[in-house]
Amino acid sequence: MVKRIAIFGSTGSIGTQALEVIAAHADKFSAEILTAHSNHELLIEQALKFNPNCVVIGDETKYKLVKEALANTNTKVFAGEKALEEVAGLDCYDMMLAGIVGFAGLKPTLKAIESGKPIALANKETLVVAGELVMQKAIANRTPIIPVDSEHSAIFQCLIGEGRNSIEKIILTASGGPFLGRKPNYLVNVKKEHALQHPNWEMGAKISIDSATLMNKGLEMIEAKWLFNLHPDQIQVIVHPQSIIHSMVQFADGSIKSQMGLPDMKLPIQYALGFPQRIPSTFPRYDFKKPHTLTFEEPDLKTFRNLALAIEALNKGGNWPCILNAANEIAVYAFIKNRIGFLDMTTVIEDVLTKMKFIEKPTLQEYFDSDGQARAYTASLIRM
Ligand code: NAD
Ligand code: MG
């Protein structure tokens, strides 16, 4: 049986690596839906190679170009945000790889969950923004959510076979990013070119900046809370610069399980697509014969204040993580466009959090409203 995959965000770092996995295992997987925001050239190239049932180009001005390029194929072409949600409800696929970056991934993922399609979840923002609602919908529709984020994949793998055994805590490992050990007097001058250079992982721009500020780890704490139904106190972050241990679970008896391997996102992607089967791979192996040192240290919350803000949002709950996420998305794009400095990202997010209205149990509409208001206010602060 070939599993038919819908790749939302097929032109991104996660999407292109997922297509590599699919190409390497054409007997197991096919790509049936591909979506891109604006990179129509790559979307066309991918469609010609994988012959999907349909593609969606987010940017409607590119519709004609894509349509013409695929005129001699069976691939249907759609455009726009609404189409993204609509194709998520189609019957032509068996599993969604949620690889869109940011809040934009929420609606199509919710639609797939409502349609009972298992989700391989890379788009962590979906759970950061509306984790409680998303998990409730997944449970109500019996839709499995298999994490792709390497830390969460590690925890998921550690929990296999543990049934009802209780988790004392999970330990999320963080590489520390490109500025590990640096202090504010250094960070004040860093530019996007430095921040985009991650020591261990090659990723899209937004998550690379989030890794440099440690916001990524904060978002991952919130993601973990919902995925594994944990109390905030059960989630610890530890800096492990080598990125060999991808995360750990400590059980009620004190025993700790970890999942290890070389840092390569194709591994958790392939695991999520193939779950529960482990598909043989030729990915490079970790070699214990070479000298290695694995080190661990506390994150520096005084310097990397984005992580402290995310922990605050994790503890407070309600619409706070949604507001944090919206402010962060705008701040990160402003930094990438050289509109604000590295440390300004934190100042802006903090300011937005103090101004927005707290809602303890938001409805889906209230999440959308909180997101919109937080974005508008953040943009006005930055004068974008
Ligand atoms: P990316 O920027 O490389 O790719 C993003 C994809 O989403 C592209 O295909 C783009 O066309 C699409 N997209 C962007 N904005 C969109 C919009 N408004 N509407 C529709 N589509 C849109 O990002 P990435 O690094 O692949 O990350 C994707 C997601 O996976 C993020 O949520 C990220 O946090 C998560 N993730 C990534 C990695 C990694 O190694 N890259 C690791 C763990 C988790
Ligand atoms: Mg991660």
Side-chain angles (χ1 to χ4, degrees):
M1 275 283 281
V2 171
K3 201 188 265 185
R4 300 166 304 167
I5 311 294
I7 305 190
F8 279 65
S10 66
T11 53
S13 159
I14 290 289
T16 51
Q17 293 183 83
L19 283 172
E20 281 180 50
V21 169
I22 290 175
H25 300 284
D27 56 327
K28 293 193 167 60
F29 306 116
S30 68
E32 292 301 332
I33 299 179
L34 301 176
T35 86
H37 190 46
S38 56
N39 189 349
H40 65 288
E41 280 146 347
L42 183 53
L43 182 67
I44 291 166
E45 192 187 313
Q46 292 175 339
L48 291 173
K49 181 168 174 195
F50 289 91
N51 195 24
N53 181 294
C54 64
V55 297
V56 181
I57 180 80
D59 179 351
E60 294 180 43
T61 63
K62 307 264 177 75
Y63 171 77
K64 243 183 111 195
L65 287 170
V66 180
K67 181 80 185 153
E68 278 165 13
L70 301 181
N72 295 327
T73 70
N74 295 325
T75 302
K76 297 187 267 298
V77 181
F78 302 101
E81 201 188 318
K82 200 90 205 104
L84 214 53
E85 213 181 321
E86 279 162 16
V87 300
L90 294 178
D91 274 338
C92 67
Y93 75 100
D94 303 310
M95 181 181 224
M96 171 192 272
L97 175 78
I100 287 178
V101 59
F103 184 85
L106 175 60
K107 275 190 186 169
T109 306
L110 273 175
K111 182 75 185 181
I113 291 173
E114 284 162 4
S115 313
K117 303 290 175 144
I119 312 287
L121 186 76
N123 176 245
K124 64 191 84 186
E125 293 90 347
T126 286
L127 289 181
V128 171
V129 168
E132 190 165 15
L133 280 183
V134 170
M135 293 311 286
Q136 275 168 2
K137 271 194 197 291
I139 290 164
N141 290 284
R142 297 172 177 269
T143 310
I145 298 187
I146 321 287
V148 167
D149 213 349
S150 57
E151 296 77 2
H152 305 74
S153 175
I155 292 161
F156 185 87
Q157 293 179 54
C158 290
L159 291 175
I160 301 273
E162 293 295 343
R164 286 166 185 267
N165 286 335
S166 73
I167 301 172
E168 198 162 86
K169 65 174 178 181
I170 63 161
I171 301 133
L172 287 179
T173 51
S175 69
F179 305 134
L180 177 61
R182 299 294 189 180
K183 294 291 170 197
N185 60 353
Y186 176 90
L187 295 176
V188 71
N189 292 318
V190 301
K191 293 281 172 254
K192 68 168 181 199
E193 292 73 23
H194 312 125
L196 287 172
Q197 297 300 320
H198 195 279
N200 304 341
W201 303 94
E202 261 182 52
M203 309 177 287
K206 194 242 171 195
I207 184 173
S208 297
I209 303 299
D210 283 344
S211 298
T213 63
L214 292 201
M215 178 58 93
N216 183 50
K217 214 45 59 180
L219 301 180
E220 290 183 352
M221 292 176 82
I222 302 170
E223 180 186 14
K225 171 188 155 116
W226 296 119
L227 269 175
F228 306 113
N229 193 21
L230 300 168
H231 188 270
D233 294 344
Q234 290 173 290
I235 308 169
Q236 184 185 358
V237 168
I238 200 87
V239 174
H240 165 50
Q242 299 80 20
S243 298
I244 297 299
I245 292 183
H246 299 309
S247 278
M248 304 177 250
V249 180
Q250 182 170 312
F251 293 93
D253 61 354
S255 180
I256 300 170
K257 270 187 176 178
S258 76
Q259 185 264 337
M260 303 169 67
L262 290 174
D264 181 348
M265 280 310 292
K266 284 202 283 298
L267 223 157
I269 291 171
Q270 177 173 301
Y271 182 79
L273 296 185
F275 180 77
Q277 197 193 349
R278 282 193 188 273
I279 301 168
S281 86
T282 54
F283 306 146
R285 268 40 177 178
Y286 182 74
D287 182 0
F288 280 95
K289 283 189 236 132
K290 287 193 189 142
H292 288 287
T293 312
L294 300 186
T295 61
F296 306 94
E297 58 190 276
E298 285 277 329
D300 176 357
L301 292 180
K302 288 211 171 76
T303 303
F304 296 93
R305 288 175 51 235
N306 273 7
L307 178 55
L309 290 177
I311 293 172
E312 243 178 80
L314 165 75
N315 286 319
K316 187 158 174 166
N319 62 343
W320 235 229
C322 171
I323 294 166
L324 172 97
N325 178 70
N328 181 56
E329 284 192 25
I330 302 290
V332 167
Y333 288 114
F335 173 71
I336 290 173
K337 288 187 194 142
N338 295 319
R339 299 291 300 267
I340 59 173
F342 188 83
L343 296 176
D344 298 332
M345 287 189 275
T346 310
T347 320
V348 165
I349 297 164
E350 197 166 26
D351 191 342
V352 176
L353 281 171
T354 56
K355 297 288 177 347
M356 293 289 129
K357 187 174 142 232
F358 178 65
I359 307 173
E360 199 174 343
K361 281 250 172 234
T363 61
L364 189 57
Q365 188 54 48
E366 283 170 329
Y367 281 121
F368 282 104
D369 296 345
S370 297
D371 175 80
Q373 286 156 11
R375 272 167 205 273
Y377 183 64
T378 315
S380 75
L381 283 178
I382 302 170
R383 288 193 212 91
M384 286 181 78

